[in-house]
Amino acid sequence: MSEIVVNLYKQANPITGTVVENKRLTSERHGLDQDVRHIVIRYKDAYPYIPGQSAGIIPPGIDPRTNKPYILRLYSIASTRSGDDGKGDSVSLCVVRHFFDNPKTGEKHVPGAASNYLCDLKPGDQVKMMGPAGKHFVLPDDFKARDIIFAATGTGIAPYRGMLKEMFDASFSGRVWLYFGIPYKDAILYDDEFKALANQHKNLFYVTAVSREDMNPIPDVVPTRSNKMYVQVRMYQDKEILKDAFTKRNALLYLCGLKGMEEGIFPVLDMIGKEMKLEKPLSQVLKEEKRLLVEVY
Ligand code: A2P
């Protein structure tokens, strides 16, 4: 694995960037609850990241719950290492506005400090960043001829945006699947970009699972909450081609997004593995062979 830089900037010595773009990626009709933003931050000093890493952000001010400064939050990077404009001096983040219920006070729909701070930033605003963080959820150096399966829920799509662009820029010759779970059709993040990429590259298979508009047609085989369409259903529907991919002993599976998505996907993998007549569950084989990469939160 080539050298990956981590934590060049820490809380005591953050880098200051300037927001150059903050664009809503989802339809306005969903209001603040599906407010997902593509935020581009430009910096003057070096910030050497690669797709799959995260940027640390600290909202300014004091956390009223602790009476101490806010602590760092990590956000997945959504750009290639050279940034959306290719100039190598910016990083793009994909951020969803977060709300939570506070069981202690009974307050409902409390705005999350960091995500609301980021989503409200305007071009020209300055942001303190730490990181880059993480070095495990990245592409291997020898990705070029492998079969790779990416599965995402929600903003878990972010790392794949940068990875896919870098893969095709490097003449990727394997096959890659992108399974993307999202609640509504008009909330599919970066949909146009992925469609364009899939049109251009016949070895990219882009598959969406729209949970609140499409039903799961096979709930007896792949059960899902309220029979919703989830990524694992789409993966099962593609089981013949995925069997072929997993027959290659170097195929990789990446999962990114909601904690709990593994629990729905592993049984589907294991069904696929059984049809492949594997001696062990496929999820176990992938884990043991370090071909399963998971980033959930
Ligand atoms: P839903 O929320 O309809 O149950 P977001 O983070 O924007 O809410 O999107 C996450 C997507 O992943 C939604 O479509 C959500 O469906 C879906 N989802 C929720 N739980 C799981 C799970 N355990 N496995 C797969 N997909 C899930």
Side-chain angles (χ1 to χ4, degrees):
M1 184 78 69
S2 355
E3 202 50 45
I4 298 173
V5 178
V6 287
N7 300 329
L8 183 61
Y9 300 95
K10 304 200 174 74
Q11 197 148 353
N13 69 325
I15 181 173
T16 300
T18 305
V19 176
V20 290
E21 186 185 343
N22 179 349
K23 179 175 77 182
R24 182 164 173 147
L25 297 174
T26 53
S27 162
E28 296 280 347
R29 89 175 162 104
H30 300 294
L32 290 183
D33 279 329
Q34 294 289 332
D35 186 5
V36 186
R37 303 266 167 171
H38 182 72
I39 302 170
V40 183
I41 300 168
R42 182 167 294 147
Y43 39 81
K44 287 208 174 79
D45 298 320
Y47 191 77
Y49 66 88
I50 63 171
Q53 289 192 290
S54 303
I57 302 282
I58 300 190
I62 300 291
D63 185 342
R65 288 181 298 169
T66 59
N67 280 326
K68 291 188 185 144
Y70 284 106
I71 54 167
L72 170 140
R73 269 80 162 179
L74 292 174
Y75 290 91
S76 283
I77 292 173
S79 43
T80 66
R81 67 193 71 196
S82 49
D84 289 345
D85 63 4
K87 290 184 181 161
D89 63 355
S90 70
V91 62
S92 304
L93 306 180
C94 179
V95 182
V96 61
R97 208 181 270 281
H98 182 67
F99 296 91
F100 64 95
D101 295 338
N102 187 334
K104 277 194 199 149
T105 61
E107 275 177 289
K108 300 254 182 243
H109 216 249
V110 184
S115 66
N116 280 273
Y117 159 70
L118 281 170
C119 289
D120 288 335
L121 286 170
K122 305 264 175 307
D125 286 347
Q126 296 212 318
V127 189
K128 287 194 171 14
M129 293 196 307
M130 281 119 275
K135 57 175 169 183
H136 300 295
F137 197 79
V138 296
L139 288 171
D141 287 340
D142 64 346
F143 67 83
K144 264 195 204 173
R146 293 188 190 227
D147 277 357
I148 302 181
I149 296 125
F150 291 142
T153 49
T155 52
I157 196 71
Y160 306 139
R161 180 176 180 265
M163 286 179 188
L164 282 168
K165 287 185 190 171
E166 291 201 358
M167 284 160 62
F168 289 114
D169 284 349
S171 311
F172 174 70
S173 63
R175 294 177 295 181
V176 56
W177 286 262
L178 178 60
Y179 291 97
F180 187 12
I182 204 78
Y184 305 102
K185 285 196 183 68
D186 59 6
I188 305 178
L189 315 174
Y190 309 110
D191 192 39
D192 291 346
E193 292 185 22
F194 293 130
K195 279 185 181 148
L197 216 50
N199 272 335
Q200 227 180 316
H201 302 281
K202 295 299 163 215
N203 51 345
L204 166 60
F205 307 95
Y206 173 46
V207 184
T208 54
V210 182
S211 62
R212 299 187 201 167
E213 293 179 22
D214 293 336
M215 294 298 288
N216 172 2
I218 46 168
D220 299 340
V221 191
V222 183
T224 53
R225 199 183 315 133
S226 311
N227 294 345
K228 289 181 185 192
M229 177 52 87
Y230 279 175
V231 277
Q232 54 267 39
V233 178
R234 292 294 189 210
M235 292 174 78
Y236 186 84
Q237 289 175 320
D238 282 354
K239 71 183 162 87
E240 294 307 323
I241 190 81
L242 291 184
K243 259 193 262 177
D244 185 62
F246 284 121
T247 303
K248 300 188 182 161
R249 298 304 295 263
N250 65 358
L252 299 170
L253 173 65
Y254 288 72
L255 309 181
C256 188
L258 293 175
K259 200 178 229 147
M261 64 184 283
E262 314 96 294
E263 277 121 67
I265 290 175
F266 287 175
V268 168
L269 291 178
D270 296 345
M271 285 190 267
I272 291 175
K274 216 168 178 183
E275 293 192 16
M276 291 165 68
K277 306 211 176 340
L278 297 182
E279 278 168 21
K280 292 183 193 172
L282 177 58
S283 57
Q284 190 183 333
V285 173
L286 294 175
K287 269 185 233 170
E288 284 175 3
E289 296 180 0
K290 298 197 177 359
R291 293 192 286 133
L292 173 71
L293 296 100
V294 181
E295 181 104 318
V296 289
Y297 36 81

